[in-house]
């Protein structure tokens, strides 16, 4: 079946602009995660959605970052007023109920100029 | 808080050499442990996992044993191939606190002929 998909695959934006990154999880997976992979910081957890529960936002680096998950499926990560330090690969992962494995998408490479 | 420490790379080996990538962790409770691999230009893939002490995870000739007494989960392979060239990430999942993965910084492996 289809894996986790993310769009766009690459995004170049100017400093100060807002960007939206999209994640389509594997159908039926109840948990959805966003991570960020950047040079010098490694892989960092950003936010976690589990079913209808309130999301765990403990990894969001600032209030410029927000995410939503509509209908328990697709998720959008929004970065407002982008800064150069936001340049990174943003990874989405989903996990089935009761499972351990997180299935990762190919990522969105964000470059802020 | 939870943390994962893995050996710095890059690790450069000749084909058919023995591979060890060290990984140690700090966590409360009883985490599950994982190795993920990222091949050039691709997303993260689960390589192997172990969910309790003394479990051995194995896949594609790679092995790792969950050692609670030394809080370690070292990755080994008896004979590496050029196709194993990738970045390897050790990670833990502590379901006692949250379901997010905590990653090590990654170790780049380069295998040459």
């Amino acid at each position: 079946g289809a894996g986790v998909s993310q769009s766009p695959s690459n995004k170049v934006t100017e400093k100060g602009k807002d960007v939206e990154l999209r994640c389509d999880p594997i159908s039926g997976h109840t948990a959805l995660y966003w991570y960020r992979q950047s040079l010098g910081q490694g892989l960092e957890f950003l936010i976690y959605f589990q079913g209808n529960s309130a999301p765990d936002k403990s990894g969001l680096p600032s209030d410029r970052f927000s995410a939503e998950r509509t209908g328990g499926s697709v998720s959008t990560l929004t970065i407002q007023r982008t800064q150069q330090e936001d340049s990174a690969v943003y990874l989405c992962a989903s996990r089935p109920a009761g499972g351990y494995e997180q299935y990762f998408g190919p990522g969105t490479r964000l470059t802020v100029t | 808080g939870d943390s994962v420490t893995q050996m710095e790379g890059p690790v450069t080996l000749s084909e058919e050499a023995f591979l060890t990538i060290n990984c140690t962790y700090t966590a409360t409770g009883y985490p599950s442990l994982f190795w993920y691999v990222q091949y050039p230009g691709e997303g993260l893939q689960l390589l192997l996992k172990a969910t309790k002490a003394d479990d051995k995870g194995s896949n594609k000739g790679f092995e790792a044993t969950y050692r609670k007494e030394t809080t370690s989960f070292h990755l080994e392979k008896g004979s590496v191939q050029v196709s194993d060239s990738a970045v390897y990430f050790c990670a833990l999942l502590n379901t006692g606190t949250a379901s997010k993965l905590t990653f090590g910084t990654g170790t780049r492996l380069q295998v040459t002929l």
Side-chain angles (χ1 to χ4, degrees), chain A residues 33 35 37 45 101-102, chain B residues 36 38 46 89 99-101:
Chain A
Y33 303 79
Y35 295 87
Q37 186 176 21
F45 164 77
E101 182 175 355
Q102 295 183 21
Chain B
Y36 278 82
Q38 189 172 35
L46 179 65
F89 293 90
S99 292
K100 64 179 186 279
L101 286 165

Side-chain angles (χ1 to χ4, degrees), chain B residues 48-86:
Chain B
L48 54 84
K49 68 176 187 282
T51 57
K52 61 183 187 298
D54 299 325
D55 269 2
K56 177 185 284 188
S58 61
N59 186 26
K60 299 182 181 180
F62 291 88
E63 293 183 340
T65 301
Y66 188 164
R67 301 285 189 201
K68 193 170 190 302
E69 64 275 14
T70 54
T71 62
S72 65
F73 193 54
H74 305 321
L75 182 69
E76 297 182 334
K77 186 175 186 182
S79 176
V80 294
Q81 306 300 310
V82 171
S83 57
D84 293 326
S85 298

Side-chain angles (χ1 to χ4, degrees), chain A residues 18-69:
Chain A
D18 297 351
V19 294
E20 286 189 351
L21 312 179
R22 177 187 169 105
C23 171
D24 281 273
I26 294 172
S27 178
H29 281 196
T30 56
L32 186 147
Y33 303 79
W34 285 96
Y35 295 87
R36 178 168 71 173
Q37 186 176 21
S38 54
L39 287 175
Q41 296 296 324
L43 272 156
E44 304 171 277
F45 164 77
L46 296 177
I47 188 168
Y48 159 54
F49 296 89
Q50 173 61 60
N52 295 321
S53 302
D56 176 355
K57 304 179 183 179
S58 60
L60 294 178
S62 77
D63 58 8
R64 295 186 296 105
F65 288 72
S66 63
E68 63 177 20
R69 188 179 185 194

Side-chain angles (χ1 to χ4, degrees), chain A residues 5-7 17 19 49 53 57 62 71 74 78 98 107:
Chain A
S5 61
Q6 294 186 246
S7 60
K17 300 283 190 183
V19 294
F49 296 89
S53 302
K57 304 179 183 179
S62 77
V74 171
T78 301

Side-chain angles (χ1 to χ4, degrees), chain B residues 6-53:
Chain B
Q6 59 182 108
M7 61 190 290
E8 289 190 21
V11 174
T12 303
L13 295 173
S14 298
E15 200 170 44
E16 299 183 1
F18 184 85
L19 168 71
T20 299
I21 300 178
N22 290 336
C23 171
T24 57
Y25 67 90
T26 301
T28 56
Y30 302 95
S32 295
L33 302 173
F34 304 83
W35 278 99
Y36 278 82
V37 59
Q38 189 172 35
Y39 296 104
E42 298 185 17
L44 279 170
Q45 302 173 26
L46 179 65
L47 180 60
L48 54 84
K49 68 176 187 282
T51 57
K52 61 183 187 298

